[in-house]
């Protein structure tokens, strides 16, 4: 079967649904493609609250956030294709996808990539030891417990203090699984401070900062995990080894943006976009964790909404940027998004500092923007709003951070 449409949205999570909604609102014919049987992505298994505070001004669980977006889609003309997997995207604006009915093609005018990110696996850490059962990513463990009603372990150690690792420490504890601790190689937590408090301190779960897993052992099933302290260069300090007797190791060691099946746009590692979510291919837009990993689904949905809007305008020949200004990472900036700005449009700049600051000044030059944060951590995003500006000669702006006394 062959389809024709104005905008295709690839990915039915929080960003994809928001993008489809916005594209429809701006007058485009929209097809939303989701590989799973139902929309929502990871929201379906995130049964804890904390979603929607910024986007809906409500404190929702993941499924509630998904259902709210789903209800908004129900009042549109969006065509939703579930259980469909996109095999190929061509430069001639044609997509090939497969579902239970066969292989199909779509001719589109614009594409929004909202494919999210995948979990980095334990194997990427190159930890020696036995090949044993009982090592799960945090997302897999979460799916087992929250969606499949399965108990993955009796006792567990968590490596990585990202938000999902912290949340799973609490979840495992509440399900009667003994959580021996959370191990983090960095000298500071990788997740939001509120999750450190609500998921670890409130339940007396130890957090081992500047520690790493050095070996795993077991006969078919995991039985021991060896952990050592590391120095400021992340080298193991001799005679600091601890042994944890557990039957599960839960990993929360980062997310990798998913950019497949698009192979011909600028990435690094996620899609590099402008403030209107446009990629290096002017008909392809991207939003959410396939660009950079965001703290909150609220940010993902907000970016998805923006991508859908501009994709719709592009498909109707109403958006063609005349100028793009490069955004450069300056001193003490680790993550920066977006990397280009259309100066005629408003910009929401997201950044992560490269180290912990007690008090920091963030500057955007030569625009003369300065912002002071009382505390800044690499684990928490900082937002900066930039109004449209007119300067035909401006080619680049630089974002930097410095410690204040």
């Amino acid at each position: 079967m062959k389809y024709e449409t104005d905008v295709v949205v690839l990915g039915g999570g929080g960003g994809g649904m928001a993008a489809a909604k916005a594209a429809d609102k701006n007058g485009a014919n929209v097809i939303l493609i989701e590989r799973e049987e139902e929309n929502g992505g990871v929201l379906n298994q995130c049964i804890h609250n904390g979603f929607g505070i910024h986007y809906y001004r409500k404190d929702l669980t993941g499924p509630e956030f998904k259902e709210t977006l789903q209800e908004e889609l129900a009042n549109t003309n969006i065509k939703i294709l579930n259980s469909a997997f996109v095999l190929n995207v061509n430069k001639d604006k044609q997509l090939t996808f497969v579902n239970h009915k066969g292989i199909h093609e779509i001719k589109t005018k614009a594409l929004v990539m909202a494919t999210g990110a995948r979990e980095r696996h334990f194997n990427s850490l190159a930890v020696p030891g036995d090949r044993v059962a009982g090592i799960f990513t945090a997302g897999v463990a979460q799916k087992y417990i929250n969606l499949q009603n399965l108990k993955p372990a009796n006792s567990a150690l968590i490596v990585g203090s990202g938000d999902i690792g912290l949340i799973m420490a609490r979840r495992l504890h509440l399900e009667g699984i003994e959580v021996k601790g959370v191990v983090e190689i960095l000298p500071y937590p990788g997740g939001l401070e509120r999750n450190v408090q609500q998921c670890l301190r409130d339940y007396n779960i130890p957090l081992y900062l500047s520690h790493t897993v050095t070996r795993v052992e077991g006969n078919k099933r995991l039985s021991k995990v060896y952990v050592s302290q590391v120095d400021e260069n992340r080298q193991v300090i001799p005679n600091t080894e601890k042994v944890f007797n557990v039957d599960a190791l839960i990993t929360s060691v980062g997310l990798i943006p998913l950019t497949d099946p698009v192979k011909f746009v600028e990435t690094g590692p996620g899609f590099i976009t402008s403030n209107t979510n446009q990629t290096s291919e002017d008909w392809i837009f991207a939003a959410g964790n396939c660009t950079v990993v965001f703290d909150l689904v609220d940010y993902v949905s907000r970016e998805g909404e923006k991508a859908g809007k501009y994709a719709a305008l592009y498909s109707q020949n109403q958006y063609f940027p005349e100028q793009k200004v490069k955004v450069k990472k300056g001193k003490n900036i680790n993550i920066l998004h977006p990397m280009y700005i259309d100066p005629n449009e408003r910009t929401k700049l997201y950044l992560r500092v490269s180290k912990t600051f007690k008090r920091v000044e963030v500057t955007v030059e030569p625009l003369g923007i300065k912002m002071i944060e009382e505390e800044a951590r690499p684990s928490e995003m900082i937002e900066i709003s930039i109004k449209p500006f007119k300067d035909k000669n401006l080619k680049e702006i630089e974002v930097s951070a410095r410690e204040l006394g």
Side-chain angles (χ1 to χ4, degrees):
M1 183 178 292
K2 292 188 176 182
Y3 299 86
E4 283 196 18
T5 191
D6 295 329
V7 176
V8 170
V9 178
L10 183 49
M17 286 193 285
K21 177 184 71 171
D24 176 82
K25 182 179 178 181
N26 282 275
N29 293 318
V30 184
I31 295 177
L32 173 63
I33 300 177
E34 166 57 42
R35 67 183 179 184
E36 301 293 339
E37 292 182 6
E38 61 178 289
N39 294 333
V42 75
L43 288 169
N44 292 310
Q45 65 190 55
C46 295
I47 64 173
H48 52 279
N49 65 335
F51 299 88
I53 295 171
H54 300 277
Y55 193 71
Y56 285 118
R57 305 297 179 189
K58 296 179 183 178
D59 189 8
L60 306 172
T61 64
E64 287 172 337
F65 189 98
K66 186 280 294 273
E67 288 299 327
T68 305
L69 266 176
Q70 192 95 315
E71 288 170 7
E72 293 173 348
L73 295 191
N75 300 317
T76 68
N77 295 315
I78 298 167
K79 183 175 182 63
I80 300 175
L81 301 174
N82 290 104
S83 301
F85 188 82
V86 174
L87 301 172
N88 191 40
V89 177
N90 294 329
K91 283 190 174 183
D92 62 0
K93 303 182 182 181
Q94 185 167 290
L95 289 79
T96 305
F97 74 92
V98 62
N99 62 11
H100 68 284
K101 294 181 180 179
I103 297 177
H104 314 273
E105 293 180 350
I106 303 177
K107 186 69 175 177
T108 187
K109 296 175 182 176
L111 169 66
V112 177
M113 295 295 292
T115 44
R118 66 176 176 85
E119 292 181 279
R120 191 183 299 276
H121 197 268
F122 178 72
N123 291 346
S124 67
L125 303 182
V127 174
D130 302 319
R131 294 179 63 87
V132 290
I135 299 176
F136 310 96
T137 64
V140 168
Q142 186 182 56
K143 185 175 182 179
Y144 282 164
I145 293 173
N146 292 348
L147 293 184
Q148 299 179 358
N149 198 30
L150 297 173
K151 183 182 178 183
N154 293 310
S155 58
L157 184 72
I158 295 173
V159 56
S161 62
D163 287 315
I164 188 173
L166 300 175
I167 289 165
M168 280 311 297
R170 176 179 63 185
R171 191 76 184 99
L172 293 167
H173 174 83
L174 293 175
E175 289 299 322
I177 298 168
E178 184 184 7
V179 180
K180 297 289 184 76
V182 176
V183 176
E184 172 56 60
I185 195 170
L186 296 173
Y188 50 81
L192 298 173
E193 175 59 26
R194 76 179 191 196
N195 285 331
V196 175
Q197 180 62 49
Q198 295 173 3
C199 300
L200 299 187
R201 297 190 191 113
D202 287 358
Y203 296 94
N204 297 316
I205 297 172
L207 174 60
Y208 298 96
L209 297 175
S210 298
H211 281 73
T212 189
V213 174
T214 55
R215 184 173 177 81
V216 294
E217 284 185 1
N219 181 12
K220 294 185 178 180
R221 178 79 187 201
L222 180 70
S223 59
K224 289 183 179 180
V225 177
Y226 294 80
V227 173
S228 293
Q229 193 172 351
V230 297
D231 60 23
E232 61 273 11
N233 298 314
R234 301 188 191 180
Q235 298 300 307
V236 171
I237 300 173
N239 304 317
T240 60
E241 188 174 81
K242 301 178 178 66
V243 181
F244 294 89
N245 297 309
V246 293
D247 63 353
L249 180 64
I250 311 297
T251 65
S252 175
V253 290
L255 298 171
I256 301 171
L258 284 171
T259 58
D260 287 339
V262 177
K263 305 289 188 182
F264 48 87
V265 301
E266 190 179 2
T267 58
F271 291 110
I272 293 175
T273 72
S274 71
N275 56 327
T276 60
N277 298 78
Q278 195 171 34
T279 68
S280 56
E281 284 286 324
D282 60 4
W283 63 280
I284 298 179
F285 297 75
N289 290 345
C290 65
T291 57
V292 296
V293 177
F294 287 87
D295 289 346
L296 304 172
V297 73
D298 301 60
Y299 298 164
V300 168
S301 295
R302 190 165 66 192
E303 288 295 297
E305 199 169 288
K306 182 152 55 77
K309 170 189 171 181
Y310 285 102
L313 294 177
Y314 177 89
S315 73
Q316 298 165 73
N317 298 315
Q318 296 179 32
Y319 177 68
F320 292 100
E322 299 174 0
Q323 178 189 4
K324 281 188 179 180
V325 178
K326 183 173 176 56
V327 186
K328 179 183 176 182
K329 285 194 283 188
K331 190 175 181 182
N332 296 320
I333 301 297
N334 185 29
I335 301 293
L336 188 60
H337 176 79
M339 297 300 290
Y340 296 94
I341 287 178
D342 176 353
N344 294 311
E345 306 292 331
R346 297 184 67 87
T347 300
K348 182 73 74 171
L349 205 60
Y350 299 91
L351 65 95
R352 295 183 192 272
V353 293
S354 58
K355 62 180 183 179
T356 300
F357 290 93
K358 289 185 178 179
R359 195 163 184 261
V360 66
E361 180 185 65
V362 180
T363 59
V364 183
E365 296 296 350
L367 298 182
I369 296 173
K370 295 183 180 181
M371 188 176 76
I372 296 175
E373 291 280 314
E374 290 305 318
E375 187 177 23
R377 305 171 182 220
S379 59
E380 300 191 16
M381 274 184 157
I382 296 173
E383 298 177 70
I384 299 176
S385 295
I386 302 176
K387 296 178 181 178
F389 55 90
K390 304 286 185 182
D391 188 342
K392 294 285 186 180
N393 298 318
L394 186 60
K395 303 297 182 185
E396 182 178 271
I397 63 174
E398 182 172 342
V399 183
S400 303
R402 68 181 183 94
E403 184 91 56
L404 294 178

